[in-house]
Amino acid sequence: MPRPRSLTSDQPASAALAVIDRDGLAGLSMRAVAQELGMSTMGLYRYVHDREELERLVVELVLGAVDTEPPDPDASWRERIEAMARRLRDAVSAHPAVVPLTITHRHRSLGVLRWSEAVLTVLTEAGVEGERRVIALRGLISYVIGAIQLEDLGPLSGSGTAAITELPSGEFPLMSETARHARNVGADQEFLGGLAMLLDGLGGLDSLDA
Amino acid sequence: MPRPRSLTSDQPASAALAVIDRDGLAGLSMRAVAQELGMSTMGLYRYVHDREELERLVVELVLGAVDTEPPDPDASWRERIEAMARRLRDAVSAHPAVVPLTITHRHRSLGVLRWSEAVLTVLTEAGVEGERRVIALRGLISYVIGAIQLEDLGPLSGSGTAAITELPSGEFPLMSETARHARNVGADQEFLGGLAMLLDGLGGLDSLDA
DNA sequence: ACCTGAACACCGTTCAAGT
DNA sequence: ACCTGAACACCGTTCAAGT
């Protein structure tokens, strides 16, 4: 793998992201990205070892865009964690087609690492320590990535769930009723509502004063 | 699409699942599944319209295996929801390679629908109604699917995170410290701990008596 | 020394040709 | 009427052949 020359190191990733944003994940191919860069297909192999590395760089590009500045120090620990959760959600939902890649590539992204460090700072300031801090961090990440995917899949009030009402009569009565209620729950309210449940649980534990 | 004859309707899906379990998701191809079934590649197209439908059937097979019997009525609402969460986790982690498919295929699985109905039954018995019930259900699903993926990615105490300690000195001090604590937190404890946070938050709300 | 196009081994899917 | 193998248009990647 000799030194690249004509391209900066992040150009292959942003070209790939441009292809994905335009043509979807199915449109991603080495040939398409090379064309986007105006070079021969094999020229791309000068910058990435293989397709997998290219995909990893795309994930890193998207997650690296998460704002990891320390949140407003005047806000409560709860508001600060909410702000961090929103930022992760915002960064990913700017490129929804990339979501499957973020899961397939079980790598430790620097962006997520920086995000985690910022969240841990808030948790620590709130007095959460030791194993409880492990569980709180992992619980938050689990919730946020799950919620992003569920949101990407469409709201409970969406067309997919609307079809539930038309299923064999009375087979899913509560699900039908809940889907009707879901029409009044927006995506933001749903995301923040679930997050609030988690934070209520975290706050209900000892050693949290704010 | 004429009537199939020699195969029952779920054989293509279980053959595909067998291929995935043996060779991983990358090993899944129409040719491989046809061979698994002992038929010509094109014979498979008698049973499924295209590869996408085959993948959808695999997801349905895995999620359809979730135990959705009503949980022990003598247990508290909290224990019953924990039991349901465990069952979903168990069904998916029996076939970890399928996880990416469950995300890519944004379809409404009957298995998840039955699971949701059972969870809603418990929530309703616990006095959770209306929009709060929407948020509780979606929050639980978000957490569980996120946690399954994070678990599949490896524990915080695993080799991936161990490398964090060797990053540029002091760049991620809290993350390093947290990773050390994570060595004492098992996968079950982590899953149930995060779930407990959510349920504490849910239980802290009004109208829950049990 | 650097770059690239042809070629290889795959893939999903079409379709005409077999019985 | 039913089934299937060759063929088509892709794919990631190798590598020898060009300059």
Side-chain angles (χ1 to χ4, degrees):
Chain A
M1 198 86 343
R3 304 282 139 180
R5 264 194 322 201
S6 54
L7 264 54
T8 63
S9 64
D10 61 342
Q11 270 180 298
S14 38
L17 186 56
V19 169
I20 292 172
D21 285 341
R22 185 184 349 107
D23 304 325
L25 195 51
L28 180 69
S29 74
M30 300 302 273
R31 282 165 174 88
V33 175
Q35 197 178 354
E36 184 81 16
L37 291 166
M39 53 169 48
S40 75
T41 304
M42 292 318 298
L44 182 53
Y45 282 84
R46 184 154 292 280
Y47 299 89
V48 295
H49 181 255
D50 55 13
R51 180 185 166 125
E52 212 231 279
E53 186 187 336
L54 180 61
E55 291 184 351
R56 224 165 38 218
L57 289 172
V58 170
V59 172
E60 194 57 60
L61 182 63
V62 171
L63 294 179
V66 179
D67 180 1
T68 53
E69 290 298 303
D72 178 10
D74 293 333
S76 67
W77 66 267
R78 204 193 154 98
E79 289 166 327
R80 278 179 286 164
I81 291 189
E82 270 172 11
M84 292 306 301
R86 269 178 187 276
R87 290 182 191 174
L88 181 51
R89 174 171 172 253
D90 290 346
V92 175
S93 54
H95 303 280
V98 173
V99 169
L101 290 186
T102 64
I103 293 122
T104 311
H105 291 281
R106 46 192 67 198
H107 79 294
R108 310 283 160 176
S109 142
L110 255 178
V112 170
L113 213 51
R114 280 200 307 268
W115 183 88
S116 298
E117 188 72 17
V119 169
L120 286 172
T121 303
V122 179
L123 287 173
T124 306
E125 285 170 13
V128 184
E129 298 276 355
E131 299 181 7
R132 173 158 20 257
R133 198 171 56 190
V134 174
I135 289 168
L137 175 66
R138 295 276 283 191
L140 280 167
I141 298 180
S142 295
Y143 173 76
V144 174
I145 66 177
I148 289 166
Q149 287 163 29
L150 212 59
E151 196 171 335
D152 192 38
L153 202 143
L156 193 55
S157 56
S159 58
T161 322
I164 291 167
T165 325
E166 291 145 36
L167 281 172
S169 68
E171 191 163 2
F172 301 102
L174 290 171
M175 199 58 199
S176 310
E177 194 194 318
T178 307
R180 278 197 299 277
H181 282 290
R183 271 194 268 272
N184 307 319
V185 183
D188 275 17
Q189 191 190 343
E190 184 176 298
F191 178 76
L192 293 172
L195 185 59
M197 273 175 61
L198 258 179
L199 297 179
D200 284 340
L202 182 59
L205 303 174
D206 54 281
S207 82
L208 275 169
D209 32 79
Chain B
M1 198 86 343
R3 307 278 142 184
R5 262 196 323 202
S6 55
L7 265 54
T8 63
S9 65
D10 61 341
Q11 269 179 300
S14 37
L17 186 56
V19 169
I20 292 172
D21 284 340
R22 183 180 355 104
D23 304 325
L25 195 52
L28 181 70
S29 74
M30 300 302 272
R31 284 164 173 87
V33 174
Q35 197 178 353
E36 184 81 17
L37 290 166
M39 53 168 49
S40 75
T41 303
M42 293 318 298
L44 182 53
Y45 281 85
R46 185 154 290 279
Y47 299 89
V48 295
H49 180 254
D50 55 12
R51 181 187 166 124
E52 211 230 280
E53 186 187 336
L54 180 60
E55 291 183 352
R56 224 165 37 217
L57 290 171
V58 170
V59 172
E60 194 57 59
L61 182 64
V62 171
L63 294 179
V66 179
D67 180 2
T68 53
E69 290 299 304
D72 178 11
D74 292 334
S76 68
W77 67 267
R78 206 193 153 97
E79 289 167 327
R80 278 180 286 164
I81 291 189
E82 270 172 11
M84 292 307 300
R86 270 178 187 274
R87 290 183 191 173
L88 181 52
R89 175 171 172 250
D90 289 346
V92 175
S93 54
H95 303 280
V98 173
V99 169
L101 290 187
T102 64
I103 293 123
T104 311
H105 291 282
R106 48 193 66 199
H107 78 296
R108 309 284 160 176
S109 141
L110 255 178
V112 170
L113 213 51
R114 280 200 306 268
W115 183 88
S116 298
E117 188 72 18
V119 169
L120 286 173
T121 303
V122 179
L123 287 173
T124 306
E125 284 169 14
V128 183
E129 298 276 354
E131 298 183 6
R132 176 163 9 262
R133 198 171 57 189
V134 174
I135 289 168
L137 176 66
R138 295 276 282 191
L140 280 168
I141 298 180
S142 294
Y143 172 75
V144 174
I145 67 178
I148 289 167
Q149 287 163 31
L150 212 59
E151 196 171 336
D152 191 39
L153 203 142
L156 193 56
S157 55
S159 59
T161 322
I164 292 167
T165 326
E166 291 145 35
L167 281 171
S169 68
E171 190 163 1
F172 302 103
L174 290 171
M175 199 58 198
S176 311
E177 194 193 318
T178 307
R180 278 196 299 279
H181 282 289
R183 272 193 269 272
N184 308 319
V185 183
D188 276 17
Q189 191 190 344
E190 184 175 299
F191 178 76
L192 293 172
L195 185 60
M197 272 176 61
L198 258 180
L199 297 179
D200 283 341
L202 183 59
L205 303 174
D206 53 282
S207 82
L208 274 169
D209 31 80

